[in-house]
Amino acid sequence: MFNGDRLRVARQRRALTKKSLAASLDVTPRTITGWEADEYPPEEDNLRALAELLKFPVGFFSLDDSDKTKTDAVSFRSLSSKTAGQRDATLAMCDIAKDFAIWLEDKFNLPMVDVPDLRHESPRTAAMILRHQWGLGNKPIRNLLHLLEAKGIRVFALSENCREIDACSFWSNYTPFIMQNTTVNNERARFDLAHELGHLVLHRDAAPSGRQAENEANQFAAEFLMPEDSVRSIIVRYWSMEALIDKKKVWTVSLAALAYRLHKLGLISDWHFKSLNIEMVNRGYKKDEPNPSPKEQSKVLQVVADRLREIGMPFSYIANQMCIPEAEVKGFFDGMTLIPVEGKSGSVVNGGMSHLRVVQ
């Protein structure tokens, strides 16, 4: 049976409006609306044309309803600057990410979710509570991505046509998700992850929204990555650029983030902070982070990739099981694993569960 909701997902993944899709198929926009509303199914030739144009298998359009991701349920970075097409493409990717997570949970033993609801706490207090609950104390977090995965957060990469958005996060029932842009440097990626973690614990119902929510998530991320007591314990005679470059590696943050944190904590003056920012611009450090740290890699997706390689299956194995394009599967892994999956002809999958344990 044709499912119009799946047409909606495929159309949005390609950032197409109903009008533009209709024009490509030489039908009316009302026809597309009727298909998506399940008022009537497309004829066989139109279904094949849809599959070819949208690059989704025909079988995808017969899957059950997706767990539709609503705009107000997702925390986007700088959503206001994005086009409706970019937003909808990302929302549709979130729909498919939920399907992918279900596939993973069926095949692997994923970590249980341990992410509290701290919506009634201030951002700083929430960060302190979470650090205590997760047994971190004031220690720097060596690998943030591994920590989030160990606490049951499903972290996937944003596909190529969604990377205008830095990152986004959302809850699906009781499972937290973060979608990240893997093309940025590690220092920025870590702050993005901490920022989205702030949304997950502070804004579980996606409220408040807008600038207030973004500021709160930034405050959370700063305290979570660079605890005040930890920063104050570092004795520096004068915070020169060289001192910043040396000390940023303690918390694996960017020069800009550390300078901003020092300023907010009153450890450097307004004039000093402004001077450091001017020097960062002049040295090109706003664009190219000096002494960048190695990118953090996903343990969860690495185990999946390794398992597929062991049984001689490429990414197309997952794609065929889920009835989605192989490119969608690859998109979730892109930039998050070091080892590619190489298929081998004649291999047979023996089935069964794979045990997946992720430690921080």
Side-chain angles (χ1 to χ4, degrees):
M1 294 289 293
F2 178 82
N3 187 341
D5 178 65
R6 290 295 175 168
L7 171 57
R8 188 266 312 167
V9 173
R11 174 179 61 78
Q12 290 186 342
R13 276 298 294 125
R14 303 302 174 228
L16 293 173
T17 64
K18 294 178 182 178
K19 182 177 181 180
S20 59
L21 177 58
S24 298
L25 293 174
D26 196 22
V27 298
T28 66
R30 179 65 186 85
T31 299
I32 304 296
T33 299
W35 290 343
E36 292 192 7
D38 284 322
E39 295 175 5
Y40 42 80
E43 298 292 336
E44 189 66 28
D45 57 340
N46 282 328
L47 178 58
R48 289 195 299 270
L50 282 170
E52 182 177 355
L53 178 65
L54 299 175
K55 296 180 172 56
F56 272 78
V58 170
F60 177 80
F61 301 99
S62 297
L63 297 177
D64 292 338
D65 281 357
S66 66
D67 184 6
K68 185 176 181 179
T69 307
K70 297 180 180 179
T71 304
D72 59 3
V74 178
S75 295
F76 287 97
R77 299 292 302 274
S78 305
L79 175 61
S80 60
S81 66
K82 312 309 175 191
T83 67
Q86 291 169 338
R87 178 202 63 201
D88 290 345
T90 305
L91 290 172
M93 187 182 186
C94 292
D95 292 344
I96 299 174
K98 296 174 189 178
D99 294 338
F100 180 51
I102 292 172
W103 184 90
L104 285 177
E105 290 161 8
D106 182 57
K107 303 295 182 183
F108 298 88
N109 293 326
L110 300 182
M112 298 293 291
V113 175
D114 180 17
V115 181
D117 183 352
L118 300 173
R119 74 183 78 182
H120 300 301
E121 306 291 345
S122 70
R124 180 173 182 269
T125 301
M128 294 171 66
I129 290 173
L130 191 60
R131 274 184 156 269
H132 176 75
Q133 180 170 320
W134 286 357
L136 301 174
N138 285 325
K139 298 181 299 183
I141 300 171
R142 185 170 62 178
N143 194 308
L144 180 57
L145 178 53
H146 289 180
L147 173 65
L148 298 185
E149 290 183 321
K151 300 305 178 181
I153 300 174
R154 312 308 186 221
V155 186
F156 304 132
L158 284 167
S159 288
E160 188 173 356
N161 71 332
C162 298
R163 289 176 184 160
E164 291 298 319
I165 294 170
D166 293 331
C168 68
S169 58
F170 58 93
W171 284 86
S172 177
N173 297 319
Y174 299 102
T175 302
F177 287 76
I178 294 178
M179 312 294 292
Q180 69 166 158
N181 184 341
T182 56
T183 64
V184 300
N185 63 51
N186 190 53
E187 286 78 6
R188 179 175 167 184
R190 280 169 57 90
F191 197 90
D192 285 344
L193 288 173
H195 177 101
E196 297 308 325
L197 176 62
H199 281 305
L200 291 173
V201 300
L202 293 170
H203 311 131
R204 189 155 180 165
D205 292 332
S209 60
R211 180 47 51 191
Q212 180 184 353
E214 292 302 297
N215 288 339
E216 289 177 355
N218 280 334
Q219 293 167 29
F220 173 94
E223 178 66 29
F224 191 73
L225 289 176
M226 299 170 281
E228 180 175 347
D229 291 345
S230 176
V231 176
R232 291 189 183 279
S233 70
I234 300 294
I235 305 301
V236 175
R237 192 169 187 180
Y238 179 75
W239 282 102
S240 64
M241 187 61 64
E242 286 65 34
L244 280 177
I245 293 173
D246 178 58
K247 297 303 181 184
K248 78 184 185 78
K249 63 187 178 184
V250 173
W251 301 282
T252 319
V253 295
S254 67
L255 284 180
L258 179 55
Y260 187 84
R261 184 68 167 151
L262 294 171
H263 180 237
K264 281 296 182 181
L265 293 178
L267 297 175
I268 59 176
S269 67
D270 292 347
W271 177 88
H272 192 171
F273 177 61
K274 183 177 180 180
S275 297
L276 286 172
N277 275 282
I278 292 173
E279 188 174 354
M280 279 184 240
V281 171
N282 290 338
R283 292 196 188 191
Y285 291 163
K286 290 284 188 175
K287 292 183 178 180
D288 297 312
E289 187 70 26
N291 298 341
S293 57
K295 285 195 174 183
E296 297 177 357
Q297 300 289 292
S298 167
K299 277 198 172 182
V300 169
L301 296 180
Q302 190 64 61
V303 169
V304 175
D306 289 345
R307 177 59 180 150
L308 286 176
R309 191 169 66 166
E310 286 173 9
I311 63 178
M313 287 294 176
F315 283 117
S316 58
Y317 168 66
I318 302 177
N320 291 337
Q321 286 208 331
M322 292 183 61
C323 216
I324 61 175
E326 185 177 350
E328 293 296 311
V329 178
K330 288 182 177 179
F332 294 129
F333 287 78
D334 192 12
M336 297 191 68
T337 56
L338 288 173
I339 303 174
V341 176
E342 297 291 344
K344 297 178 182 178
S345 60
S347 299
V348 179
V349 180
N350 56 18
M353 292 287 287
S354 294
H355 293 275
L356 176 61
R357 298 189 182 279
V358 180
V359 295
Q360 64 190 66

